[in-house]
Amino acid sequence: MKKFVLAGCCLVFTAFSFAQTVNQKLQKVFQQFEGDTQLKHATSSFYVIDAKTGKVVFDKNSQVGLAPASTQKIITSVTAFELLGKDFRYYTEMGYGGAIYWRPSGDPTFGSWRYASTRPERIFRTLADSLRKAGIKKIDDYFQIDDDLYFDDQAIPDGWIMQDIGNYYGAGSNAINWKENQYDLYLASTAHSGEYWFVNLLRDSSQLLPGDSIINQVNAADPGTGDNAYIYLPMEGRNYLVKGTIPRNEKKFKISGAVVNSADYFINDFRRFLKNEGLLNADVNKKYHMKTVPRDVSGHIAWYSSPPLDSIVYWFLKKSINLYGEALIKTFAYKKIGFGSTEFGATIVKDFWKQEGIDEDELNISDGSGLSPQNRVTTHAQVEILKYAKTRDWFPYFYNSLPEYNGMIMKSGTIKDVKGFCGYHKAKDGKEYIFSFLVNNYNGPSSGLVNKMYKVLDVLK
């Protein structure tokens, strides 16, 4: 009996010593991290708990609100699983009542290339077949999009910066979204650098709308400098401005921008498809308009449904698609109060987590994606939300959606002078951890900072 008691005591002591060792190692490595010259004017927060017991393993500034960048997407994703359910789908209706009408739903996947069922050619083919089955041989070039959905007309959340919103990752969310509200531009650069006329625009007419144009002020830079070209939305008229640099000696360099009006974008593509199919009455050419479609219209033709939420979250987290987060946060508000707005959606997120014990002031959020530099979130709140997710039956779908970096399952986040990682890790000894690591206002290259953050996280391995 004494041997068993002694053995048990040794096990307890060993476990306690190991926990202390991890904490001590983190204390040491984090002190070195904060003392680095790259962190001289930065604020850092790192919070780690034992995933099984919930006990704190390490805590530095866990109650300090910092800009989370795209690590905020874990908050939107977990909230979506809880408020909408993993099987939630968006539905878009097409009908006919003298003209084609659409009742959109804010679906961010409509026309996306990421799913077989959402690709434009698949959607258009299905809709054309539905028209023919309904006995409709020709339709006038006149389309109505129902604005009675009560979605906020403000596509871009407050706080997004001008340098972001003209680019693909700064696409706003509308009642009707199409091809993730983005288009591609192709540039070619000569072997010289320093003057913008050495970069030529190769192709844009097939993806921009009729009447849109590009003002090209892109310079050629040194090889290996990557994509540093930015597209700016028109301040007046329909002239997009492209500035910045791409590497010299590029034959076909792609950059992607955000469309201003996604409904125009969709209707333009649909009109072209119908014309090619011989379904469009070429004698009538009227511009579509937004209007409230009467609810007694009996000309329903087809329903289009999005992939389920678990598939949407998969790409939302894997590829960090900001549009998906903005659509989801508006959807929270639409489902709760009947009006889809970012502001109301953010309030609903805060209220939900307040009911789960998280101080609402720990989630000072302005959007659903983390692109706004105005967001302030604590690492404590992020870890609590990740801990909560582990208790839910949909957790495997959420976990499977998280990317892998540095051999760890975690979401990354990057905006100017902000870097973050948060997620889960199982160590070699079987210990499981939940963590969040945010750094604001660092200096120097992000690649150098990331390697230093990895060195801290490696202690958990």
Side-chain angles (χ1 to χ4, degrees), residues 81-249:
F81 274 116
E82 282 297 274
L83 297 185
L84 303 176
K86 76 175 184 66
D87 297 320
F88 169 81
R89 294 174 185 263
Y90 291 92
Y91 290 92
T92 302
E93 180 186 3
M94 183 182 78
Y96 184 76
I100 292 290
Y101 69 83
W102 296 89
R103 288 196 178 114
S105 60
D107 179 5
T109 71
F110 196 47
S112 172
W113 62 93
R114 301 182 196 277
Y115 316 83
S117 64
T118 65
R119 292 172 183 166
E121 60 273 18
R122 174 81 171 268
I123 292 175
F124 287 157
R125 176 60 56 197
T126 300
L127 296 177
D129 291 345
S130 298
L131 286 170
R132 292 188 174 102
K133 287 179 182 179
I136 300 171
K137 298 180 180 180
K138 290 276 187 179
I139 62 173
D140 291 343
D141 191 3
Y142 181 56
F143 303 89
Q144 299 175 344
I145 296 182
D146 187 2
D147 68 351
D148 196 26
L149 181 64
Y150 299 111
F151 256 62
D152 193 352
D153 290 333
Q154 182 179 343
I156 303 296
D158 291 338
W160 284 18
I161 65 174
M162 194 66 187
Q163 194 178 29
D164 289 337
I165 61 177
N167 300 281
Y168 73 96
Y169 56 86
S173 174
N174 298 290
I176 187 165
N177 302 297
W178 182 243
K179 294 194 294 193
E180 297 188 4
N181 297 347
Q182 73 174 66
Y183 63 94
D184 297 329
L185 296 177
Y186 293 89
L187 304 170
S189 56
T190 66
H192 305 287
S193 63
E195 299 292 342
Y196 72 83
W197 51 76
F198 288 118
V199 175
N200 299 314
L201 197 63
L202 288 181
R203 179 168 62 88
D204 68 325
S205 59
S206 65
Q207 295 196 329
L208 287 176
L209 292 169
D212 289 345
S213 63
I214 296 290
I215 300 173
N216 177 22
Q217 294 184 2
V218 180
N219 295 337
D222 292 334
T225 52
D227 179 3
N228 289 295
Y230 294 89
I231 303 173
Y232 293 83
L233 296 182
M235 290 294 94
E236 58 181 1
R238 299 173 67 175
N239 298 317
Y240 293 75
L241 174 65
V242 190
K243 298 178 67 175
T245 66
I246 65 170
R248 62 177 180 264
N249 206 29

Side-chain angles (χ1 to χ4, degrees), residues 434-448:
I434 305 174
F435 61 88
S436 177
F437 194 178
L438 298 177
V439 180
N440 283 196
N441 201 45
Y442 65 91
N443 60 71
S446 62
S447 58

Side-chain angles (χ1 to χ4, degrees), residues 338-405:
F339 182 72
S341 82
T342 303
E343 181 182 359
F344 290 136
T347 299
I348 288 168
V349 172
K350 293 175 68 172
D351 287 346
F352 175 80
W353 292 110
K354 181 180 179 180
Q355 294 171 16
E356 298 299 327
I358 296 176
D359 189 330
E360 60 184 337
D361 292 329
E362 291 189 64
L363 298 174
N364 186 8
I365 59 177
S366 300
D367 62 20
S369 64
L371 185 59
S372 172
Q374 292 182 347
N375 293 308
R376 295 293 181 271
V377 171
T378 69
T379 55
H380 170 264
Q382 288 188 315
V383 167
E384 286 297 303
I385 290 170
L386 290 170
K387 182 176 75 172
Y388 176 92
K390 277 184 65 68
T391 68
R392 316 308 288 174
D393 57 3
W394 43 258
F395 176 70
Y397 300 93
F398 171 67
Y399 184 83
N400 187 52
S401 300
L402 291 168
E404 180 178 331
Y405 299 98

